[in-house]
Amino acid sequence: MLDKQERFKTLLKENGLKVTTQRIEILEALENRPDKHLTAEEIYECVKEKNPDIGLATVYRTIQLLTELNLIDKLNLGDGFVRYEIGRQGSDDKAHHHHHLICLNCGNVLTFQGDLLDTLEHHIQETMGFEVVDHEVKMFGYCKTCRKEAVKAKKSN
Amino acid sequence: MLDKQERFKTLLKENGLKVTTQRIEILEALENRPDKHLTAEEIYECVKEKNPDIGLATVYRTIQLLTELNLIDKLNLGDGFVRYEIGRQGSDDKAHHHHHLICLNCGNVLTFQGDLLDTLEHHIQETMGFEVVDHEVKMFGYCKTCRKEAVKAKKSN
DNA sequence: TTGGGTGCAAAGGCTTTGCATGTGA
DNA sequence: TCACATGCAAAGCCTTTGCACCCAA
């Protein structure tokens, strides 16, 4: 994942922006938690361990920057926080999004890769004349672990 | 859609809650805009035409109530507002969600019914052990009208 | 040197809450 | 009557913005 950082640096320079410690640290925080979907506050706490002087405003500003540069993706679970994750593709070709599986019990977010939505997109395009360029899929349910525990709890009753 | 209102009244009574003018008016506002996805503020403005004395807080409280009763659905387009729409099924059996098509040009939200996600859900269940109970699908792109206009604009160049 | 970047605190904008008053049952 | 509901205003909460100072280039 080092090339993501390189890419960031290049993009910054290309746009006449500066490569600062804070910006790199924020990207690193997101890279170190590839499975997590961090809130701004969580990123802030994360970076603060290494750099206690960083301000929350900087985190927000950098997040916005990273979003504009397509290096990270927003994720809204509807809990009042916007979450962020490292984007899956380095370039800006049509995104092959993964889907999010959100456990209603433990709150964990799993990801799932799949192309099965292509069919649906084609269908929408043909029947409704709507050209799909991106999509966002969230599945709510119960993860393997929680289901096992539910079964266990039932048995011990 | 009258039965939705009846259902609301019944549910209120069943829960020891009161049938008030405001609650009915708010549900009506949502019923009168079946295609729209109204924000709290929009519902407020809508109801205020008939009942200028209503307070925004009441709208928020009623929205929350309607959500808990499964009579309306939340929709988050990521623009900082939560939107609400009349739910599609009256009962609480497994939801047959429609999907949302959001035009990146005009901002209109279309809906699309489809079962094609069932396959995907089964797949997820089998490969990951994740039990899907609900889903939310948003497609971003360009609607028929906007695409036509884009073509027209191109020609006149 | 110098223009963009950062930190801090204040301001914004949506939503919730506290409280006194109002009202459906 | 009386518990629940409403309206208003204040408070909450996440996020953005203004401004003086700082620092990468």
Side-chain angles (χ1 to χ4, degrees), chain A residues 75-106:
Chain A
L75 173 64
N76 197 318
L77 301 184
D79 59 355
F81 298 85
V82 181
R83 288 156 195 284
Y84 302 89
E85 61 182 343
I86 289 280
R88 317 110 316 207
Q89 82 285 327
S91 58
D92 44 12
D93 53 351
K94 193 182 174 182
H96 239 190
H97 273 266
H98 55 256
H99 313 136
H100 291 105
L101 312 180
I102 301 143
C103 182
L104 295 169
N105 187 238
C106 67

PDB file of all heavy atoms in Angstrom, chain A residues 75-106:
ATOM      1  N   LEU A  75     -18.571   6.514   3.748  1.00  0.00           N
ATOM      2  CA  LEU A  75     -19.545   5.471   4.051  1.00  0.00           C
ATOM      3  C   LEU A  75     -20.457   5.978   5.148  1.00  0.00           C
ATOM      4  O   LEU A  75     -19.996   6.431   6.184  1.00  0.00           O
ATOM      5  CB  LEU A  75     -18.834   4.194   4.506  1.00  0.00           C
ATOM      6  CG  LEU A  75     -19.746   3.070   5.005  1.00  0.00           C
ATOM      7  CD1 LEU A  75     -20.647   2.570   3.890  1.00  0.00           C
ATOM      8  CD2 LEU A  75     -18.915   1.927   5.550  1.00  0.00           C
ATOM      9  N   ASN A  76     -21.736   5.923   4.899  1.00  0.00           N
ATOM     10  CA  ASN A  76     -22.694   6.422   5.877  1.00  0.00           C
ATOM     11  C   ASN A  76     -23.557   5.281   6.368  1.00  0.00           C
ATOM     12  O   ASN A  76     -24.343   4.732   5.620  1.00  0.00           O
ATOM     13  CB  ASN A  76     -23.556   7.496   5.232  1.00  0.00           C
ATOM     14  CG  ASN A  76     -24.269   8.337   6.268  1.00  0.00           C
ATOM     15  OD1 ASN A  76     -24.771   7.805   7.258  1.00  0.00           O
ATOM     16  ND2 ASN A  76     -24.284   9.630   6.061  1.00  0.00           N
ATOM     17  N   LEU A  77     -23.392   4.937   7.628  1.00  0.00           N
ATOM     18  CA  LEU A  77     -24.175   3.834   8.174  1.00  0.00           C
ATOM     19  C   LEU A  77     -25.462   4.325   8.820  1.00  0.00           C
ATOM     20  O   LEU A  77     -26.214   3.547   9.388  1.00  0.00           O
ATOM     21  CB  LEU A  77     -23.354   3.049   9.195  1.00  0.00           C
ATOM     22  CG  LEU A  77     -22.053   2.440   8.693  1.00  0.00           C
ATOM     23  CD1 LEU A  77     -21.408   1.629   9.789  1.00  0.00           C
ATOM     24  CD2 LEU A  77     -22.307   1.571   7.471  1.00  0.00           C
ATOM     25  N   GLY A  78     -25.684   5.614   8.752  1.00  0.00           N
ATOM     26  CA  GLY A  78     -26.921   6.150   9.289  1.00  0.00           C
ATOM     27  C   GLY A  78     -26.901   6.313  10.797  1.00  0.00           C
ATOM     28  O   GLY A  78     -27.938   6.470  11.420  1.00  0.00           O
ATOM     29  N   ASP A  79     -25.732   6.287  11.399  1.00  0.00           N
ATOM     30  CA  ASP A  79     -25.646   6.464  12.846  1.00  0.00           C
ATOM     31  C   ASP A  79     -25.200   7.868  13.222  1.00  0.00           C
ATOM     32  O   ASP A  79     -24.818   8.125  14.349  1.00  0.00           O
ATOM     33  CB  ASP A  79     -24.697   5.425  13.449  1.00  0.00           C
ATOM     34  CG  ASP A  79     -23.301   5.536  12.850  1.00  0.00           C
ATOM     35  OD1 ASP A  79     -23.119   6.345  11.918  1.00  0.00           O
ATOM     36  OD2 ASP A  79     -22.407   4.820  13.306  1.00  0.00           O
ATOM     37  N   GLY A  80     -25.243   8.751  12.248  1.00  0.00           N
ATOM     38  CA  GLY A  80     -24.898  10.139  12.538  1.00  0.00           C
ATOM     39  C   GLY A  80     -23.447  10.480  12.289  1.00  0.00           C
ATOM     40  O   GLY A  80     -23.041  11.626  12.388  1.00  0.00           O
ATOM     41  N   PHE A  81     -22.660   9.476  11.941  1.00  0.00           N
ATOM     42  CA  PHE A  81     -21.273   9.723  11.630  1.00  0.00           C
ATOM     43  C   PHE A  81     -21.027   9.395  10.164  1.00  0.00           C
ATOM     44  O   PHE A  81     -21.634   8.472   9.625  1.00  0.00           O
ATOM     45  CB  PHE A  81     -20.332   8.838  12.443  1.00  0.00           C
ATOM     46  CG  PHE A  81     -20.425   9.058  13.911  1.00  0.00           C
ATOM     47  CD1 PHE A  81     -21.383   8.403  14.666  1.00  0.00           C
ATOM     48  CD2 PHE A  81     -19.559   9.929  14.547  1.00  0.00           C
ATOM     49  CE1 PHE A  81     -21.480   8.610  16.035  1.00  0.00           C
ATOM     50  CE2 PHE A  81     -19.653  10.130  15.922  1.00  0.00           C
ATOM     51  CZ  PHE A  81     -20.608   9.475  16.652  1.00  0.00           C
ATOM     52  N   VAL A  82     -20.131  10.127   9.544  1.00  0.00           N
ATOM     53  CA  VAL A  82     -19.664   9.723   8.232  1.00  0.00           C
ATOM     54  C   VAL A  82     -18.380   8.957   8.470  1.00  0.00           C
ATOM     55  O   VAL A  82     -17.562   9.349   9.293  1.00  0.00           O
ATOM     56  CB  VAL A  82     -19.419  10.936   7.319  1.00  0.00           C
ATOM     57  CG1 VAL A  82     -18.951  10.482   5.961  1.00  0.00           C
ATOM     58  CG2 VAL A  82     -20.691  11.754   7.190  1.00  0.00           C
ATOM     59  N   ARG A  83     -18.244   7.843   7.811  1.00  0.00           N
ATOM     60  CA  ARG A  83     -17.054   7.031   7.967  1.00  0.00           C
ATOM     61  C   ARG A  83     -16.236   7.041   6.688  1.00  0.00           C
ATOM     62  O   ARG A  83     -16.751   7.364   5.621  1.00  0.00           O
ATOM     63  CB  ARG A  83     -17.444   5.583   8.298  1.00  0.00           C
ATOM     64  CG  ARG A  83     -17.984   5.460   9.701  1.00  0.00           C
ATOM     65  CD  ARG A  83     -18.879   4.261   9.872  1.00  0.00           C
ATOM     66  NE  ARG A  83     -19.630   4.374  11.108  1.00  0.00           N
ATOM     67  CZ  ARG A  83     -19.109   4.163  12.305  1.00  0.00           C
ATOM     68  NH1 ARG A  83     -17.849   3.789  12.408  1.00  0.00           N
ATOM     69  NH2 ARG A  83     -19.820   4.326  13.394  1.00  0.00           N
ATOM     70  N   TYR A  84     -14.970   6.695   6.816  1.00  0.00           N
ATOM     71  CA  TYR A  84     -14.088   6.733   5.667  1.00  0.00           C
ATOM     72  C   TYR A  84     -13.273   5.464   5.568  1.00  0.00           C
ATOM     73  O   TYR A  84     -12.913   4.878   6.572  1.00  0.00           O
ATOM     74  CB  TYR A  84     -13.165   7.949   5.758  1.00  0.00           C
ATOM     75  CG  TYR A  84     -13.940   9.229   5.848  1.00  0.00           C
ATOM     76  CD1 TYR A  84     -14.329   9.746   7.076  1.00  0.00           C
ATOM     77  CD2 TYR A  84     -14.339   9.900   4.693  1.00  0.00           C
ATOM     78  CE1 TYR A  84     -15.086  10.912   7.163  1.00  0.00           C
ATOM     79  CE2 TYR A  84     -15.092  11.068   4.767  1.00  0.00           C
ATOM     80  CZ  TYR A  84     -15.461  11.560   6.002  1.00  0.00           C
ATOM     81  OH  TYR A  84     -16.207  12.703   6.085  1.00  0.00           O
ATOM     82  N   GLU A  85     -12.971   5.071   4.351  1.00  0.00           N
ATOM     83  CA  GLU A  85     -12.126   3.897   4.147  1.00  0.00           C
ATOM     84  C   GLU A  85     -11.265   4.123   2.919  1.00  0.00           C
ATOM     85  O   GLU A  85     -11.620   4.869   2.020  1.00  0.00           O
ATOM     86  CB  GLU A  85     -12.986   2.642   3.966  1.00  0.00           C
ATOM     87  CG  GLU A  85     -13.906   2.731   2.760  1.00  0.00           C
ATOM     88  CD  GLU A  85     -14.791   1.512   2.590  1.00  0.00           C
ATOM     89  OE1 GLU A  85     -14.506   0.463   3.172  1.00  0.00           O
ATOM     90  OE2 GLU A  85     -15.786   1.630   1.844  1.00  0.00           O
ATOM     91  N   ILE A  86     -10.118   3.466   2.929  1.00  0.00           N
ATOM     92  CA  ILE A  86      -9.209   3.543   1.792  1.00  0.00           C
ATOM     93  C   ILE A  86      -9.913   3.014   0.551  1.00  0.00           C
ATOM     94  O   ILE A  86     -10.524   1.953   0.592  1.00  0.00           O
ATOM     95  CB  ILE A  86      -7.964   2.671   2.086  1.00  0.00           C
ATOM     96  CG1 ILE A  86      -7.103   3.326   3.151  1.00  0.00           C
ATOM     97  CG2 ILE A  86      -7.164   2.416   0.824  1.00  0.00           C
ATOM     98  CD1 ILE A  86      -6.214   4.427   2.654  1.00  0.00           C
ATOM     99  N   GLY A  87      -9.837   3.741  -0.509  1.00  0.00           N
ATOM    100  CA  GLY A  87     -10.458   3.314  -1.762  1.00  0.00           C
ATOM    101  C   GLY A  87      -9.806   2.043  -2.283  1.00  0.00           C
ATOM    102  O   GLY A  87      -8.648   1.776  -1.995  1.00  0.00           O
ATOM    103  N   ARG A  88     -10.577   1.269  -3.030  1.00  0.00           N
ATOM    104  CA  ARG A  88     -10.054  -0.003  -3.504  1.00  0.00           C
ATOM    105  C   ARG A  88      -9.244   0.097  -4.771  1.00  0.00           C
ATOM    106  O   ARG A  88      -8.429  -0.739  -5.084  1.00  0.00           O
ATOM    107  CB  ARG A  88     -11.165  -1.016  -3.759  1.00  0.00           C
ATOM    108  CG  ARG A  88     -12.237  -1.096  -2.757  1.00  0.00           C
ATOM    109  CD  ARG A  88     -13.493  -0.535  -3.352  1.00  0.00           C
ATOM    110  NE  ARG A  88     -13.105   0.669  -4.036  1.00  0.00           N
ATOM    111  CZ  ARG A  88     -13.861   1.692  -4.248  1.00  0.00           C
ATOM    112  NH1 ARG A  88     -15.037   1.703  -3.889  1.00  0.00           N
ATOM    113  NH2 ARG A  88     -13.436   2.765  -4.858  1.00  0.00           N
ATOM    114  N   GLN A  89      -9.528   1.087  -5.585  1.00  0.00           N
ATOM    115  CA  GLN A  89      -8.789   1.190  -6.844  1.00  0.00           C
ATOM    116  C   GLN A  89      -7.976   2.468  -6.831  1.00  0.00           C
ATOM    117  O   GLN A  89      -8.421   3.502  -6.371  1.00  0.00           O
ATOM    118  CB  GLN A  89      -9.729   1.150  -8.042  1.00  0.00           C
ATOM    119  CG  GLN A  89     -10.395   2.467  -8.390  1.00  0.00           C
ATOM    120  CD  GLN A  89     -11.500   2.792  -7.419  1.00  0.00           C
ATOM    121  OE1 GLN A  89     -12.157   1.923  -6.925  1.00  0.00           O
ATOM    122  NE2 GLN A  89     -11.696   4.069  -7.135  1.00  0.00           N
ATOM    123  N   GLY A  90      -6.769   2.326  -7.328  1.00  0.00           N
ATOM    124  CA  GLY A  90      -5.903   3.478  -7.306  1.00  0.00           C
ATOM    125  C   GLY A  90      -6.288   4.502  -8.352  1.00  0.00           C
ATOM    126  O   GLY A  90      -6.182   5.688  -8.145  1.00  0.00           O
ATOM    127  N   SER A  91      -6.774   4.025  -9.467  1.00  0.00           N
ATOM    128  CA  SER A  91      -7.070   4.947 -10.558  1.00  0.00           C
ATOM    129  C   SER A  91      -8.542   5.346 -10.535  1.00  0.00           C
ATOM    130  O   SER A  91      -9.299   4.959  -9.677  1.00  0.00           O
ATOM    131  CB  SER A  91      -6.739   4.284 -11.876  1.00  0.00           C
ATOM    132  OG  SER A  91      -7.486   3.098 -11.999  1.00  0.00           O
ATOM    133  N   ASP A  92      -8.938   6.118 -11.511  1.00  0.00           N
ATOM    134  CA  ASP A  92     -10.314   6.591 -11.514  1.00  0.00           C
ATOM    135  C   ASP A  92     -11.176   5.871 -12.559  1.00  0.00           C
ATOM    136  O   ASP A  92     -12.169   6.393 -13.016  1.00  0.00           O
ATOM    137  CB  ASP A  92     -10.352   8.092 -11.735  1.00  0.00           C
ATOM    138  CG  ASP A  92      -9.396   8.520 -12.823  1.00  0.00           C
ATOM    139  OD1 ASP A  92      -8.880   7.625 -13.543  1.00  0.00           O
ATOM    140  OD2 ASP A  92      -9.170   9.711 -12.961  1.00  0.00           O
ATOM    141  N   ASP A  93     -10.751   4.678 -12.966  1.00  0.00           N
ATOM    142  CA  ASP A  93     -11.601   3.912 -13.864  1.00  0.00           C
ATOM    143  C   ASP A  93     -12.823   3.436 -13.105  1.00  0.00           C
ATOM    144  O   ASP A  93     -12.878   3.498 -11.884  1.00  0.00           O
ATOM    145  CB  ASP A  93     -10.850   2.707 -14.456  1.00  0.00           C
ATOM    146  CG  ASP A  93     -10.222   1.872 -13.367  1.00  0.00           C
ATOM    147  OD1 ASP A  93     -10.228   2.303 -12.203  1.00  0.00           O
ATOM    148  OD2 ASP A  93      -9.716   0.788 -13.675  1.00  0.00           O
ATOM    149  N   LYS A  94     -13.789   2.988 -13.816  1.00  0.00           N
ATOM    150  CA  LYS A  94     -15.070   2.681 -13.177  1.00  0.00           C
ATOM    151  C   LYS A  94     -14.893   1.783 -11.949  1.00  0.00           C
ATOM    152  O   LYS A  94     -14.334   0.702 -12.017  1.00  0.00           O
ATOM    153  CB  LYS A  94     -16.039   2.027 -14.161  1.00  0.00           C
ATOM    154  CG  LYS A  94     -17.441   2.011 -13.576  1.00  0.00           C
ATOM    155  CD  LYS A  94     -18.453   1.342 -14.454  1.00  0.00           C
ATOM    156  CE  LYS A  94     -19.768   1.270 -13.686  1.00  0.00           C
ATOM    157  NZ  LYS A  94     -20.817   0.597 -14.423  1.00  0.00           N
ATOM    158  N   ALA A  95     -15.371   2.257 -10.844  1.00  0.00           N
ATOM    159  CA  ALA A  95     -15.156   1.596  -9.565  1.00  0.00           C
ATOM    160  C   ALA A  95     -15.800   0.217  -9.531  1.00  0.00           C
ATOM    161  O   ALA A  95     -16.927   0.031  -9.954  1.00  0.00           O
ATOM    162  CB  ALA A  95     -15.733   2.454  -8.453  1.00  0.00           C
ATOM    163  N   HIS A  96     -15.052  -0.743  -9.029  1.00  0.00           N
ATOM    164  CA  HIS A  96     -15.636  -2.039  -8.769  1.00  0.00           C
ATOM    165  C   HIS A  96     -15.899  -2.132  -7.276  1.00  0.00           C
ATOM    166  O   HIS A  96     -15.182  -2.775  -6.550  1.00  0.00           O
ATOM    167  CB  HIS A  96     -14.689  -3.146  -9.231  1.00  0.00           C
ATOM    168  CG  HIS A  96     -15.324  -4.006 -10.250  1.00  0.00           C
ATOM    169  ND1 HIS A  96     -14.794  -5.176 -10.694  1.00  0.00           N
ATOM    170  CD2 HIS A  96     -16.479  -3.866 -10.931  1.00  0.00           C
ATOM    171  CE1 HIS A  96     -15.574  -5.704 -11.605  1.00  0.00           C
ATOM    172  NE2 HIS A  96     -16.593  -4.929 -11.769  1.00  0.00           N
ATOM    173  N   HIS A  97     -16.929  -1.465  -6.894  1.00  0.00           N
ATOM    174  CA  HIS A  97     -17.256  -1.353  -5.485  1.00  0.00           C
ATOM    175  C   HIS A  97     -17.426  -2.693  -4.805  1.00  0.00           C
ATOM    176  O   HIS A  97     -17.953  -3.622  -5.381  1.00  0.00           O
ATOM    177  CB  HIS A  97     -18.563  -0.583  -5.324  1.00  0.00           C
ATOM    178  CG  HIS A  97     -18.351   0.873  -5.270  1.00  0.00           C
ATOM    179  ND1 HIS A  97     -18.209   1.554  -4.096  1.00  0.00           N
ATOM    180  CD2 HIS A  97     -18.240   1.773  -6.235  1.00  0.00           C
ATOM    181  CE1 HIS A  97     -18.039   2.822  -4.354  1.00  0.00           C
ATOM    182  NE2 HIS A  97     -18.049   2.996  -5.635  1.00  0.00           N
ATOM    183  N   HIS A  98     -17.002  -2.729  -3.576  1.00  0.00           N
ATOM    184  CA  HIS A  98     -17.413  -3.837  -2.744  1.00  0.00           C
ATOM    185  C   HIS A  98     -18.684  -3.390  -2.040  1.00  0.00           C
ATOM    186  O   HIS A  98     -19.026  -2.212  -2.016  1.00  0.00           O
ATOM    187  CB  HIS A  98     -16.317  -4.204  -1.751  1.00  0.00           C
ATOM    188  CG  HIS A  98     -15.848  -3.083  -0.907  1.00  0.00           C
ATOM    189  ND1 HIS A  98     -14.652  -2.444  -1.112  1.00  0.00           N
ATOM    190  CD2 HIS A  98     -16.413  -2.458   0.136  1.00  0.00           C
ATOM    191  CE1 HIS A  98     -14.513  -1.498  -0.227  1.00  0.00           C
ATOM    192  NE2 HIS A  98     -15.575  -1.472   0.548  1.00  0.00           N
ATOM    193  N   HIS A  99     -19.365  -4.335  -1.462  1.00  0.00           N
ATOM    194  CA  HIS A  99     -20.599  -4.001  -0.757  1.00  0.00           C
ATOM    195  C   HIS A  99     -20.354  -4.100   0.733  1.00  0.00           C
ATOM    196  O   HIS A  99     -19.436  -4.779   1.168  1.00  0.00           O
ATOM    197  CB  HIS A  99     -21.710  -4.952  -1.203  1.00  0.00           C
ATOM    198  CG  HIS A  99     -21.778  -5.115  -2.680  1.00  0.00           C
ATOM    199  ND1 HIS A  99     -21.939  -6.319  -3.300  1.00  0.00           N
ATOM    200  CD2 HIS A  99     -21.654  -4.198  -3.666  1.00  0.00           C
ATOM    201  CE1 HIS A  99     -21.935  -6.141  -4.603  1.00  0.00           C
ATOM    202  NE2 HIS A  99     -21.762  -4.870  -4.856  1.00  0.00           N
ATOM    203  N   HIS A 100     -21.164  -3.439   1.493  1.00  0.00           N
ATOM    204  CA  HIS A 100     -20.990  -3.457   2.931  1.00  0.00           C
ATOM    205  C   HIS A 100     -22.048  -4.308   3.598  1.00  0.00           C
ATOM    206  O   HIS A 100     -23.232  -4.156   3.340  1.00  0.00           O
ATOM    207  CB  HIS A 100     -21.021  -2.031   3.473  1.00  0.00           C
ATOM    208  CG  HIS A 100     -19.817  -1.249   3.068  1.00  0.00           C
ATOM    209  ND1 HIS A 100     -19.847  -0.279   2.091  1.00  0.00           N
ATOM    210  CD2 HIS A 100     -18.530  -1.319   3.481  1.00  0.00           C
ATOM    211  CE1 HIS A 100     -18.637   0.227   1.944  1.00  0.00           C
ATOM    212  NE2 HIS A 100     -17.811  -0.376   2.774  1.00  0.00           N
ATOM    213  N   LEU A 101     -21.574  -5.181   4.458  1.00  0.00           N
ATOM    214  CA  LEU A 101     -22.463  -6.011   5.255  1.00  0.00           C
ATOM    215  C   LEU A 101     -22.385  -5.507   6.688  1.00  0.00           C
ATOM    216  O   LEU A 101     -21.326  -5.578   7.305  1.00  0.00           O
ATOM    217  CB  LEU A 101     -22.027  -7.477   5.195  1.00  0.00           C
ATOM    218  CG  LEU A 101     -21.736  -8.044   3.806  1.00  0.00           C
ATOM    219  CD1 LEU A 101     -21.326  -9.513   3.926  1.00  0.00           C
ATOM    220  CD2 LEU A 101     -22.937  -7.910   2.893  1.00  0.00           C
ATOM    221  N   ILE A 102     -23.475  -4.985   7.187  1.00  0.00           N
ATOM    222  CA  ILE A 102     -23.471  -4.368   8.502  1.00  0.00           C
ATOM    223  C   ILE A 102     -24.240  -5.238   9.495  1.00  0.00           C
ATOM    224  O   ILE A 102     -25.420  -5.502   9.303  1.00  0.00           O
ATOM    225  CB  ILE A 102     -24.108  -2.972   8.427  1.00  0.00           C
ATOM    226  CG1 ILE A 102     -23.320  -2.114   7.441  1.00  0.00           C
ATOM    227  CG2 ILE A 102     -24.162  -2.320   9.795  1.00  0.00           C
ATOM    228  CD1 ILE A 102     -24.147  -1.192   6.610  1.00  0.00           C
ATOM    229  N   CYS A 103     -23.530  -5.686  10.519  1.00  0.00           N
ATOM    230  CA  CYS A 103     -24.175  -6.560  11.499  1.00  0.00           C
ATOM    231  C   CYS A 103     -25.023  -5.738  12.467  1.00  0.00           C
ATOM    232  O   CYS A 103     -24.535  -4.817  13.099  1.00  0.00           O
ATOM    233  CB  CYS A 103     -23.145  -7.371  12.276  1.00  0.00           C
ATOM    234  SG  CYS A 103     -23.935  -8.492  13.459  1.00  0.00           S
ATOM    235  N   LEU A 104     -26.293  -6.102  12.544  1.00  0.00           N
ATOM    236  CA  LEU A 104     -27.227  -5.369  13.395  1.00  0.00           C
ATOM    237  C   LEU A 104     -26.997  -5.670  14.870  1.00  0.00           C
ATOM    238  O   LEU A 104     -27.499  -4.986  15.744  1.00  0.00           O
ATOM    239  CB  LEU A 104     -28.669  -5.727  13.021  1.00  0.00           C
ATOM    240  CG  LEU A 104     -29.106  -5.300  11.615  1.00  0.00           C
ATOM    241  CD1 LEU A 104     -30.441  -5.922  11.256  1.00  0.00           C
ATOM    242  CD2 LEU A 104     -29.185  -3.787  11.526  1.00  0.00           C
ATOM    243  N   ASN A 105     -26.223  -6.719  15.137  1.00  0.00           N
ATOM    244  CA  ASN A 105     -25.975  -7.079  16.521  1.00  0.00           C
ATOM    245  C   ASN A 105     -24.710  -6.438  17.052  1.00  0.00           C
ATOM    246  O   ASN A 105     -24.729  -5.698  18.027  1.00  0.00           O
ATOM    247  CB  ASN A 105     -25.925  -8.598  16.658  1.00  0.00           C
ATOM    248  CG  ASN A 105     -25.843  -9.037  18.103  1.00  0.00           C
ATOM    249  OD1 ASN A 105     -24.921  -9.729  18.501  1.00  0.00           O
ATOM    250  ND2 ASN A 105     -26.796  -8.600  18.906  1.00  0.00           N
ATOM    251  N   CYS A 106     -23.581  -6.701  16.387  1.00  0.00           N
ATOM    252  CA  CYS A 106     -22.306  -6.204  16.908  1.00  0.00           C
ATOM    253  C   CYS A 106     -21.837  -4.926  16.231  1.00  0.00           C
ATOM    254  O   CYS A 106     -20.893  -4.301  16.678  1.00  0.00           O
ATOM    255  CB  CYS A 106     -21.230  -7.281  16.806  1.00  0.00           C
ATOM    256  SG  CYS A 106     -20.769  -7.711  15.119  1.00  0.00           S
TER     257      CYS A 106
END
